[in-house]
């Protein structure tokens, strides 16, 4: 039997839709992308296929929702050539190098350099002037000591992690979720933002780049982004703190949600990684299609794992770049399998209930 490299699961309503109608681009109302640093490399092939072929003929606007790496991935959409932009992002990210002991300023400077090459001002204008893709990405406005740098920030992170372990809603004492959205957004998630204090800010040519930088500004690794134009004053950091893999109410989405993910589980927030009982599933999201790598795929990768930020410390630059390049190439096996499954009309045979 041929090994399968891609797992396709769906919530009950999405599964029923696929079984009765199959799946087309116009069925998808929302595309989601998770935080996770370089873990997304294995999704690069799927991104290229989605951005360049699957969504090419979509008649209705596509909403995207991402944090950190997920938001950065989706910034290819709306550019003049989204596939070329996506490939550029993968190339720039995978070939990043630093000094032997980089500090926050060096890492932040490299992120800023990458941002301005990947999403220059001309690309921002293109993204905001088109209406086929409505971007949404999340950064958190830090409160109390989480807005500080150094030791005081570390203490704030520890306090907020403890509060989160007791009650996820207590994260609101330390962070305010800020959803930066395309000015033409029609994403109906009014019920979805009730779990934590949330603000909504329209994207403009002045705030697009700093907001995108902020959603990937990992605490204690990158500097926070201060006073984003058009948003409440303060220090902004990685949106994955509150929405690592998301746990928001998606019932208001017009259509199905497509969620290509690098992990077999959806972990709500950054501090929930070790809280095994706190996971999002198809029971939370009955209209969601969840795509992820299989064990067979992982076993084919170097080191039998997907890339992660620890690779910076555990591999030298040449080894890491070679490994990450192989992971990007391997991700195209997933894309080829998914594309073939849809083209052959066999999706209903492959999808399983996600509960």
């Amino acid at each position: 039997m041929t090994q399968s490299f891609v797992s396709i699961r769906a919530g009950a309503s999405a599964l029923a839709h696929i079984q009765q109608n199959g799946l087309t681009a116009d069925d998808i109302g929302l595309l989601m992308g998770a935080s996770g640093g370089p873990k997304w490399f294995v999704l690069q092939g799927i991104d290229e296929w989605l951005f360049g072929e699957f969504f090419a003929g979509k008649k209705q606007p596509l909403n995207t929702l991402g944090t950190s790496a997920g938001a950065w991935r989706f910034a290819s959409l709306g550019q003049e050539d989204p596939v070329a932009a996506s490939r550029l992002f993968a190339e720039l990210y995978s070939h990043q190098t630093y000094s032997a002991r980089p500090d926050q300023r060096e890492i932040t400077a490299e992120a800023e350099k990458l941002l301005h090459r990947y999403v220059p001002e001309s690309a921002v204008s293109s993204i905001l002037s088109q209406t086929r893709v409505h971007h949404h990405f999340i950064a958190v406005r830090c409160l109390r000591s989480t807005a500080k740098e150094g030791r005081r920030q570390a203490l704030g992170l520890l306090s907020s992690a403890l509060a989160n372990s007791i009650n996820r809603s207590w994260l609101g004492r330390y962070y305010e979720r800020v959803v930066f959205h395309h000015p033409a957004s029609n994403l109906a998630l009014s019920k979805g933002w009730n779990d934590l204090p949330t603000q909504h800010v329209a994207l403009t040519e002045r705030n697009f780049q700093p907001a995108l930088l902020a959603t990937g500004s990992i605490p204690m690794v990158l500097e926070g982004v201060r006073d984003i134009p058009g948003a409440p004053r303060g220090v902004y950091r990685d949106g994955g703190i509150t929405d690592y893999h998301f746990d928001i109410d998606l019932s208001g989405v017009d259509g199905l949600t497509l969620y290509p993910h690098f992990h077999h589980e959806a972990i709500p927030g950054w501090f929930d990684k070790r809280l095994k009982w706190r996971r999002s599933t198809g029971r939370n999201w009955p209209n969601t299609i969840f795509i992820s790598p299989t064990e067979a795929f992982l076993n084919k990768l170097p080191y039998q794992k997907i890339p992660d930020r620890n690779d910076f410390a555990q591999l030298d630059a040449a080894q890491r770049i070679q490994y990450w390049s192989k992971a990007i190439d391997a991700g195209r096996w997933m894309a080829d399998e998914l594309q073939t499954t849809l083209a052959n009309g066999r999706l209903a045979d492959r999808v399983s209930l996600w509960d």
Side-chain angles (χ1 to χ4, degrees):
M1 181 178 177
T2 304
Q3 287 184 319
S4 175
F5 294 132
V6 61
S7 166
I8 309 169
R9 291 175 285 168
S13 299
L15 177 61
H17 176 94
I18 291 170
Q19 290 172 335
Q20 294 170 17
N21 308 294
L23 184 70
T24 69
D26 282 318
D27 295 327
I28 307 301
L30 176 65
L31 178 67
M32 289 214 302
S35 300
K39 297 173 185 177
W40 68 271
F41 286 145
V42 297
L43 301 176
Q44 177 61 25
I46 290 177
D47 282 356
E48 291 179 18
W49 171 64
L50 289 175
F51 299 174
E53 184 175 334
F54 184 70
F55 288 127
K58 185 170 169 54
K59 298 179 179 64
Q60 298 300 317
L62 173 69
N63 290 293
T64 70
L65 176 61
T67 54
S68 198
W72 281 66
R73 285 164 52 207
F74 296 160
S76 298
L77 290 161
Q79 295 199 39
E80 183 176 349
D81 186 339
V83 173
S86 181
R87 288 173 178 163
L88 175 63
F89 178 43
E91 176 76 9
L92 294 173
Y93 195 145
S94 62
H95 284 72
Q96 280 185 310
T97 56
Y98 302 97
S99 64
R101 301 188 68 178
D103 58 13
Q104 281 188 321
R105 177 83 294 266
E106 179 182 350
I107 297 172
T108 302
E110 286 297 317
E112 292 168 343
K113 187 190 306 181
L114 190 160
L115 171 64
H116 286 89
R117 286 193 62 189
Y118 169 45
V119 193
E121 290 182 5
S122 59
V124 173
S125 297
S126 176
I127 290 168
L128 294 179
S129 62
Q130 59 79 47
T131 56
R132 294 186 66 245
V133 180
H134 295 166
H135 294 78
H136 304 77
F137 43 86
I138 295 169
V140 297
R141 188 168 73 96
C142 296
L143 310 175
R144 302 184 179 184
S145 57
T146 65
K148 307 297 182 181
E149 301 293 347
R151 185 171 179 273
R152 290 190 66 186
Q153 183 192 164
L155 291 173
L157 290 170
L158 182 62
S159 296
S160 54
L162 178 60
N164 175 78
S165 68
I166 299 170
N167 190 323
R168 177 168 153 77
S169 68
W170 289 3
L171 275 179
R173 303 178 182 182
Y174 298 88
Y175 310 97
E176 180 181 54
R177 176 196 285 132
V178 180
V179 184
F180 292 91
H181 61 86
H182 189 284
S185 169
N186 63 350
L187 182 61
L189 286 184
S190 56
K191 293 193 298 182
W193 309 116
N194 292 340
D195 57 331
L196 294 170
T198 301
Q199 296 253 14
H200 299 264
V201 175
L203 288 164
T204 68
E205 295 197 13
R206 291 185 64 222
N207 68 21
F208 192 101
Q209 289 172 323
L212 191 59
L213 182 64
T215 190
S217 293
I218 305 166
M220 306 299 294
V221 177
L222 279 81
E223 298 169 352
V225 178
R226 183 175 295 276
D227 298 338
I228 297 175
R233 293 177 61 85
V235 173
Y236 290 78
R237 303 193 194 277
D238 198 308
I241 295 173
T242 55
D243 297 278
Y244 190 56
H245 300 165
F246 303 101
D247 194 40
I248 57 175
D249 184 349
L250 300 175
S251 61
V253 173
D254 183 12
L256 303 179
T257 296
L258 181 63
Y259 196 175
H261 197 24
F262 45 76
H263 197 263
H264 70 281
E265 291 183 316
I267 302 168
W270 196 42
F271 298 117
D272 295 323
K273 297 177 187 179
R274 291 185 172 86
L275 307 182
K276 299 296 185 181
W277 62 89
R278 197 175 286 173
R279 296 293 184 266
S280 303
T281 71
R283 293 183 183 179
N284 308 74
W285 297 331
N287 285 316
T288 297
I289 302 166
F290 189 83
I291 298 170
S292 60
T294 63
E295 284 294 322
F297 175 84
L298 298 179
N299 289 335
K300 290 283 187 179
L301 294 177
Y303 312 108
Q304 289 71 58
K305 73 173 191 68
I306 61 175
D308 59 56
R309 286 195 298 114
N310 294 328
D311 298 332
F312 279 108
Q314 296 173 352
L315 302 171
D316 65 37
Q319 290 174 320
R320 174 178 53 79
I321 291 170
Q322 182 182 48
Y323 163 38
W324 285 5
S325 297
K326 288 182 177 179
I328 291 170
D329 290 340
R332 295 188 171 91
W333 304 338
M334 294 173 60
D336 290 344
E337 183 178 328
L338 185 59
Q339 183 177 12
T340 299
T341 298
L342 279 173
N344 293 342
R346 301 298 302 274
L347 181 60
D349 299 330
R350 287 288 315 280
V351 67
S352 60
L353 180 64
W354 185 32
D355 60 5

